[in-house]
Amino acid sequence: MELSRLVIASNRGPVSWRRRPDGGLEARRGGGGLVASLGPLLKDSGATWLAAAMSDEDREGAASGVESEGFRFRALDIDPATYRMAYDVVANSTLWFLHHHLWDLPRRPRFDRHWRRAWDGYRLYNETFAAALADDAPEDGVVLVQDYHLSLVAPALAAKRPDLRLVHFHHTPFCSPAWLEVLPGPVAQELLAGLAAYDACGFHSPRWEAAFTACCESRMPVGPPTFVAPLPPAAANLLEVADGDDCGRELRRLEEQVAGRKLIVRVDRMEPSKNILRGFLAYDELLDQRPELREKVVFSAYCYPSREGLADYLGYHSEVEAMVANVNARWATADWTPILLHTDDNFARSVAALRRYDVLLVNPVRDGMNLVALEGPVVNSRHGVVVLSRQAGAWDRMADSTIGVDPFDVSGTAEAIGAAIDLDAAARRDLSTQAAEVASSRPLSAWLADQLAAAGESL
Amino acid sequence: MELSRLVIASNRGPVSWRRRPDGGLEARRGGGGLVASLGPLLKDSGATWLAAAMSDEDREGAASGVESEGFRFRALDIDPATYRMAYDVVANSTLWFLHHHLWDLPRRPRFDRHWRRAWDGYRLYNETFAAALADDAPEDGVVLVQDYHLSLVAPALAAKRPDLRLVHFHHTPFCSPAWLEVLPGPVAQELLAGLAAYDACGFHSPRWEAAFTACCESRMPVGPPTFVAPLPPAAANLLEVADGDDCGRELRRLEEQVAGRKLIVRVDRMEPSKNILRGFLAYDELLDQRPELREKVVFSAYCYPSREGLADYLGYHSEVEAMVANVNARWATADWTPILLHTDDNFARSVAALRRYDVLLVNPVRDGMNLVALEGPVVNSRHGVVVLSRQAGAWDRMADSTIGVDPFDVSGTAEAIGAAIDLDAAARRDLSTQAAEVASSRPLSAWLADQLAAAGESL
């Protein structure tokens, strides 16, 4: 298709603005994985990307649209109170927790009068996107709506613009039917009806697709068409960073810290779904059960703070810090700190760690995809082995080239890390080579093409 | 069938012993709902009941069997360390949390080396029951194994005694497949294989039966036969207590406290699955949203401490106390305490509250049956209305004669309590009369008969 008919809609846009000292506005490429994935594909496409303004500078900079790297970006001005309700309360504290099965159900969630107002805010946020898309989308356009923030865009938009084809893609898992029942009945119904109004709904894994279908079956006669389109890593960008000077400098620094020991690495946001606590518990059990490994391994963990406006995330951060302190207090010697925890975001340093790991631990309790599990093998140069949770979407692709773990099984995780360390050179080479091949085998464009195919178009 | 061929097996027995001041042993009827339900049916039956000894006195008193009310009781001597692992760690901290969906998954459970030893203890506890039943059960006997403590009795027992028919009955819900995946794979497999070795598995609700069947379908070619047999309340015993002097005295005391206000009641163990916190949050929201109800209602909550050896239960107890203090601090006046929390166990007082309630709140997050929802209507004398969670097994029977709530929906629960208070006299009478009819319609013997029918026998 002619990509000028394509519109991307997402909460976070590809560009953000800040004010220069001289008072003018300066545009910068935005953060977030979606930009890294879609940016290269949209270059010079003439497509449109619609997102929420995250600041006053964004509102001013992109209200009426701006050209950037060959596609048009428009930032939607959403009232800050509405945005907080939609983003913090509903998207990140409700739908994220729901789809990742994170609630401590005796205590959370609490669907009270404050939450009901937040749900109204989420509706309004979605309707604002729908109205902007109805005004703005090209005739017979294809709108690819990204992620759980925007579950409810389709009903209003489809009614106003029947010429458009609307595809939704979930970057999270989708909750199982038992978890959907946690929502008040009418809210669960509205959520599913919102998604059912799309022409198709896409997921990273057949398991999330099956969960969504099962949820639909429990509540409506016919669900929408679905498809599976796993997101590949942005390999080209990653290899460029891996070859860069910053990464080289970080790698040398890391080698000094590691000092010839076996290196276990994890790279994650500081996020309850990532299962950081049990990763350290497993490491503690490994050191307890296998004394010969003490002083011979080091666990370098890159856990970058995220959503720190939410008490759950601040609390989790504290628990992680406390656990690292405990494990280090138990095992450290004069020459050896068992866990090195890094919480200041530094992409080049993360990539350096991915180049260097002997074992990469990726053990989320539940994860839509988890690109780290694929990014590691793309850049690793040590025949490092990935220990991967069976609850990550990436497991579908990597089951044969990683060592699998049940994420709640601390002993099993300890044994898997030990087994990864024990593998002989030939086995490590075979496994890591296979992992790199799988991780590199699918181009980024395939993911976009799958979404377009769901709209009846080809790339 | 001749009930002398019947054997009941359960963790807790119908009789417990304590030492008299003179050094002799004194038998007393044990606590727990199962005794109240089965005791009357087994009177003079010649049946056998096998349970774990809970104390040294039990070991001494019932090691070789004792006659009590016309059936034989035998207490199994289980090593205390094994018992703690089986009962505290696996049964109550793992399987109870699993089947009720109670875990805060980013943090709990942690299947580490200590837990693996506890699972060995659970196996041994089950094998001890199996060995005792193999020795002791009458030829061609029917063994009714009660509840989640004894999931693994059947494989060893069926191998040794093919003449027996073995039925398992779950008093809890059964977990949904998404929750079963939380267990390490081999443990989930062993649990289901243990249950599949029974001739049949029974549940209080078709929903728990469906969850079990779905779990089996995900992990084995053919699951065991299943049946649904909801437990009725022990109505005769309850009415006897309700007519007794103790209850009358408690009722007069309660009337003084209520002083003519509308009375909301809950009666529960102090237990995370009972959703006590959200019950008080809903009451707080009701008082916030409907000022005219302030000083006109009182919430008398009977929440009896349970499993206080587990940190989770102690913590939950503290949270409940703190929330009551907060709500009372917010709304109390010189003449009115909004919530009266009673934590010292007193059955006659609970029955008095059930006689007197205007609204009975039963809002568990998930509950195998919840007999309180049926016991209330049996004894209530005020045309009181039950507000009932749709996640309780009792909902299957009481949906048409109660006001339903989604247990996580605090606002919805507040509205339901308000609606129950608002009902006019005729509507209250109709609803409460219907509830009493349903709650009284099924005799206790039907529940036993259903289990025997699953073994190919009739009562």
Side-chain angles (χ1 to χ4, degrees), chain A residues 5-260:
Chain A
R5 281 196 289 119
L6 175 64
V7 184
I8 308 289
S10 67
N11 172 66
R12 186 188 296 266
V15 179
S16 66
W17 276 264
R18 62 175 183 183
R19 198 161 300 280
R20 286 191 309 256
D22 68 6
L25 282 176
E26 181 178 72
R28 321 176 64 194
R29 181 134 168 196
L34 193 60
V35 181
S37 303
L38 274 174
L41 300 172
L42 298 185
K43 202 165 178 325
D44 301 323
S45 66
T48 300
W49 191 323
L50 185 77
M54 313 291 276
S55 65
D56 286 344
E57 288 73 21
D58 283 4
R59 283 184 194 92
E60 188 177 333
S64 57
V66 63
E67 288 287 323
S68 162
E69 304 183 26
F71 60 94
R72 196 169 74 93
F73 171 56
R74 186 179 159 201
L76 268 180
D77 186 358
I78 291 170
D79 159 60
T82 301
Y83 186 76
R84 294 260 76 81
M85 291 193 287
Y87 185 69
D88 285 342
V89 181
V90 174
N92 285 347
S93 297
T94 305
L95 298 179
W96 179 270
F97 276 63
L98 172 69
H99 290 316
H100 290 85
H101 297 178
L102 296 179
W103 278 314
D104 178 17
L105 291 175
R107 297 171 180 83
R108 293 284 186 286
R110 295 172 175 173
F111 297 114
D112 59 10
R113 60 196 183 280
H114 310 294
W115 188 88
R116 286 189 179 188
R117 277 198 295 275
W119 181 251
D120 290 339
Y122 182 77
R123 259 194 212 121
L124 179 59
Y125 169 91
N126 273 261
E127 286 162 6
T128 306
F129 269 81
L133 288 163
D135 283 351
D136 207 42
E139 187 154 354
D140 296 326
V142 172
V143 185
L144 303 184
V145 178
Q146 303 296 308
D147 229 355
Y148 61 100
H149 317 83
L150 296 172
S151 305
L152 306 182
V153 168
L157 182 54
K160 277 196 208 160
R161 290 289 306 273
D163 61 304
L164 301 176
R165 269 144 307 152
L166 309 177
V167 174
H168 190 276
F169 195 87
H170 257 93
H171 290 263
T172 63
F174 202 86
C175 66
S176 64
W179 281 86
L180 187 69
E181 285 183 30
V182 174
L183 294 181
V187 173
Q189 200 65 36
E190 186 175 351
L191 182 68
L192 289 185
L195 292 167
Y198 286 95
D199 293 299
C201 290
F203 301 91
H204 287 310
S205 162
R207 290 174 288 162
W208 317 145
E209 180 193 40
F212 175 65
T213 304
C215 285
C216 289
E217 278 168 3
S218 71
R219 301 206 176 229
M220 51 179 60
V222 190
T226 61
F227 64 101
V228 175
L231 180 66
N237 177 50
L238 207 59
L239 290 166
E240 196 182 315
V241 174
D243 284 339
D245 292 343
D246 287 353
C247 186
R249 199 176 313 117
E250 295 292 346
L251 187 57
R252 286 188 295 279
R253 195 171 296 166
L254 179 60
E255 290 289 8
E256 279 171 35
Q257 293 172 326
V258 174

Side-chain angles (χ1 to χ4, degrees), chain B residues 78-157:
Chain B
I78 290 170
D79 160 60
T82 301
Y83 186 76
R84 294 259 77 80
M85 291 193 288
Y87 184 69
D88 285 343
V89 180
V90 174
N92 285 348
S93 296
T94 305
L95 299 179
W96 178 271
F97 277 62
L98 172 68
H99 291 315
H100 290 86
H101 297 177
L102 297 179
W103 277 316
D104 177 18
L105 291 174
R107 296 169 181 84
R108 293 284 187 284
R110 294 172 175 173
F111 297 114
D112 58 10
R113 59 197 183 281
H114 309 294
W115 188 89
R116 286 188 180 188
R117 277 199 295 276
W119 181 251
D120 289 340
Y122 181 77
R123 261 194 210 121
L124 180 58
Y125 168 92
N126 274 261
E127 286 162 6
T128 305
F129 268 82
L133 288 163
D135 284 352
D136 206 43
E139 189 155 351
D140 297 324
V142 171
V143 185
L144 303 185
V145 178
Q146 302 296 308
D147 229 356
Y148 61 102
H149 317 82
L150 296 172
S151 306
L152 305 181
V153 167
L157 182 54

Side-chain angles (χ1 to χ4, degrees), chain A residues 101-113 116 176 178-179 181-185 272 275 277-278 281 285 288-289 312 316 319 323 330 365 391 406 408-412 415, chain B residues 101-113 116 176 178-179 181-185 272 275 277-278 281 285 288-289 312 316 319 323 330 365 391 406 408-412 415:
Chain A
H101 297 178
L102 296 179
W103 278 314
D104 178 17
L105 291 175
R107 297 171 180 83
R108 293 284 186 286
R110 295 172 175 173
F111 297 114
D112 59 10
R113 60 196 183 280
R116 286 189 179 188
S176 64
W179 281 86
E181 285 183 30
V182 174
L183 294 181
N275 207 19
L277 294 170
R278 287 194 193 84
L281 286 169
E285 182 156 325
D288 182 90
Q289 297 290 295
D312 282 311
Y316 193 75
E319 290 171 68
M323 182 165 290
R330 185 171 181 199
V365 297
Q391 298 295 335
D406 292 333
F408 307 99
D409 187 357
V410 170
S411 290
E415 288 165 0
Chain B
H101 297 177
L102 297 179
W103 277 316
D104 177 18
L105 291 174
R107 296 169 181 84
R108 293 284 187 284
R110 294 172 175 173
F111 297 114
D112 58 10
R113 59 197 183 281
R116 286 188 180 188
S176 64
W179 281 86
E181 284 183 31
V182 174
L183 295 181
N275 207 18
L277 294 170
R278 287 193 192 83
L281 286 168
E285 182 156 323
D288 183 89
Q289 297 290 297
D312 282 310
Y316 193 75
E319 290 172 68
M323 183 165 290
R330 185 171 181 201
V365 296
Q391 298 295 335
D406 293 335
F408 307 99
D409 186 356
V410 170
S411 290
E415 288 166 359

Side-chain angles (χ1 to χ4, degrees), chain A residues 274-402:
Chain A
K274 300 299 183 186
N275 207 19
I276 299 168
L277 294 170
R278 287 194 193 84
F280 292 138
L281 286 169
Y283 182 60
D284 180 75
E285 182 156 325
L286 181 71
L287 297 175
D288 182 90
Q289 297 290 295
R290 296 188 51 181
E292 79 278 10
L293 290 177
R294 296 173 201 161
E295 301 200 295
K296 300 291 188 295
V297 295
V298 65
F299 190 158
S300 199
Y302 304 85
C303 302
Y304 300 132
S306 156
R307 303 181 189 173
E308 296 227 294
L310 301 181
D312 282 311
Y313 284 74
L314 281 176
Y316 193 75
H317 188 155
S318 300
E319 290 171 68
V320 168
E321 300 258 9
M323 182 165 290
V324 169
N326 282 342
V327 175
N328 281 342
R330 185 171 181 199
W331 301 111
T333 63
D335 303 320
W336 174 56
T337 304
I339 302 175
L340 306 170
L341 175 65
H342 310 273
T343 59
D344 52 317
D345 200 343
N346 180 335
F347 186 56
R349 191 182 55 187
S350 301
V351 175
L354 293 180
R355 282 180 63 182
R356 174 58 181 81
Y357 68 79
D358 298 295
V359 180
L360 177 64
L361 179 61
V362 182
N363 66 326
V365 297
R366 189 174 172 90
D367 205 328
M369 185 65 198
N370 199 308
L371 282 182
V372 174
L374 291 92
E375 289 165 347
V378 166
V379 298
N380 184 262
S381 59
R382 300 264 304 184
H383 297 316
V385 174
V386 182
V387 171
L388 180 57
S389 167
R390 298 189 178 94
Q391 298 295 335
W395 177 251
D396 301 321
R397 300 193 62 202
M398 307 293 286
D400 293 338
S401 57
T402 59

